[in-house]
Amino acid sequence: AGGTNVPERHPEHRERRDAFVKLNRAFDNRSSVRLSYRLYNDDWGIVSHELSSKLSQYITQGMFVRYQYRYYTQTPARFYRDEYLTTNGVDGYLSGDYRMGPLSAHMFGLSLNFDLGTMASSMPVFGRTALVIGYDRYFNSNNYSADILETGLDFRF
């Protein structure tokens, strides 16, 4: 800002609002789809949209695959700039946080879910347990990308 380094200054208060719609549907072929949309805005001027989908399909009695996709986009905060001409910023506020700027992002994912109770029916300890293995690919308009690997145990009670 103004050719020097200064600390960020954000407004002390922030009013946030969001609305969402979700649709879940199961089909006779042992598959299901989940669709959702979320609209967000705040008094800093950020407006975002998020659209996501998940498709799940059983492969065998105790195993299903899930495919997912998410798209996210947002407008910048009123006071966000790539570069500030003075140390006063915009109305006294400055931000170097890319999350306050314009952004669009995509995430594609795939996961395998194993019901251990079905696969190991002779071992009751696994009766309410599932193993999840997943991979997600994330990338955004700020030239950031990530490969996300996930493993987990799900205990139902």
Side-chain angles (χ1 to χ4, degrees):
T4 187
N5 291 325
V6 296
E8 289 186 317
R9 289 192 304 271
H10 293 170
E12 289 185 23
H13 300 284
R14 188 175 188 182
E15 186 176 311
R16 302 172 185 217
R17 298 163 292 277
D18 71 341
F20 59 89
V21 176
K22 293 184 177 186
L23 173 68
N24 298 329
R25 174 82 162 97
F27 299 100
D28 293 336
N29 65 353
R30 300 189 68 220
S31 67
S32 65
V33 66
R34 295 179 184 183
L35 303 172
S36 66
Y37 169 77
R38 183 177 71 96
L39 171 65
Y40 166 92
N41 74 356
D42 62 31
D43 59 349
W44 291 8
I46 295 175
V47 176
S48 73
H49 303 272
E50 180 181 78
L51 182 62
S52 68
S53 62
K54 292 181 181 178
L55 172 64
S56 299
Q57 174 67 58
Y58 271 91
I59 299 170
T60 66
Q61 178 65 24
M63 180 173 52
F64 69 91
V65 63
R66 176 173 291 148
Y67 307 94
Q68 68 179 13
Y69 171 73
R70 185 182 74 186
Y71 175 71
Y72 175 85
T73 185
Q74 78 175 35
T75 61
R78 277 188 305 279
F79 55 85
Y80 178 84
R81 302 290 185 272
D82 286 330
E83 191 173 318
Y84 295 92
L85 299 177
T86 70
T87 58
N88 292 330
V90 177
D91 297 328
Y93 302 118
L94 302 111
S95 181
D97 187 344
Y98 75 92
R99 295 172 297 176
M100 297 291 125
L103 179 70
S104 64
H106 300 270
M107 186 173 74
F108 298 89
L110 172 70
S111 65
L112 287 172
N113 297 263
F114 303 93
D115 183 343
L116 298 180
T118 303
M119 297 180 156
S121 57
S122 63
M123 303 176 88
V125 70
F126 292 122
R128 297 173 183 242
T129 306
L131 172 66
V132 179
I133 300 170
Y135 168 76
D136 294 316
R137 175 69 177 159
Y138 172 86
F139 56 95
N140 69 29
S141 58
N142 289 334
N143 205 23
Y144 176 79
S145 62
D147 292 306
I148 304 162
L149 299 174
E150 172 190 18
T151 59
L153 284 176
D154 179 12
F155 296 103
R156 297 175 301 276
F157 52 94

